[in-house]
Amino acid sequence: MTDLLRKPKGASGKVHDVTPKDAGWGYVGFGLYRLKPGESAAERTGETEVILVLVEGKAEISGGGKAFGEPRRPDERLRAQATALRLCARRFRLER
């Protein structure tokens, strides 16, 4: 397996972008956005299914022409829990 320990490509925006080809995987890629309040990110995904996971903070999420708003964590007191949203859309947008 290839070396997957990688340093971020900056302090904000898309700081990690691991494609299946880069990692030697068959299907799954990984991207990490670090957004400051007021920043946004958008990406075209084509036919790729996307799972967006909010590791920290909150964001407004939209994709496929549909606004999902701000997903709520199952329990706001448990900071270690992440919020996830599965999208089968050709594009997504995050706004923090």
Side-chain angles (χ1 to χ4, degrees), residues 3-50:
D3 180 22
L4 294 179
L5 184 58
R6 300 176 185 203
K7 294 184 185 258
K9 297 178 184 177
S12 66
K14 192 166 191 178
V15 297
H16 286 286
D17 189 14
V18 180
T19 67
K21 184 178 178 182
D22 294 339
W25 299 333
Y27 303 100
V28 179
F30 173 82
L32 177 71
Y33 288 91
R34 182 171 287 148
L35 301 177
K36 298 174 185 168
E39 290 185 324
S40 64
E43 188 171 321
R44 293 190 184 281
T45 59
E47 297 295 321
T48 305
E49 182 177 302
V50 176

Side-chain angles (χ1 to χ4, degrees), residues 12 33-41 54-61 70 73 79 93-96:
S12 66
Y33 288 91
R34 182 171 287 148
L35 301 177
K36 298 174 185 168
E39 290 185 324
S40 64
L54 299 180
V55 178
E56 65 181 22
K58 298 179 180 184
E60 297 279 329
I61 298 175
E70 184 179 288
R73 296 182 188 282
R79 297 182 69 171
R93 182 172 178 81
L94 304 169
E95 293 182 40
R96 181 144 189 240

Side-chain angles (χ1 to χ4, degrees), residues 41-94:
E43 188 171 321
R44 293 190 184 281
T45 59
E47 297 295 321
T48 305
E49 182 177 302
V50 176
I51 298 175
L52 301 174
V53 179
L54 299 180
V55 178
E56 65 181 22
K58 298 179 180 184
E60 297 279 329
I61 298 175
S62 61
K66 188 173 186 180
F68 297 98
E70 184 179 288
R72 296 180 64 194
R73 296 182 188 282
D75 187 336
E76 293 286 346
R77 296 169 292 167
L78 300 176
R79 297 182 69 171
Q81 277 187 318
T83 300
L85 177 67
R86 178 177 162 258
L87 289 176
C88 295
R90 295 182 186 273
R91 180 178 171 83
F92 70 84
R93 182 172 178 81
L94 304 169

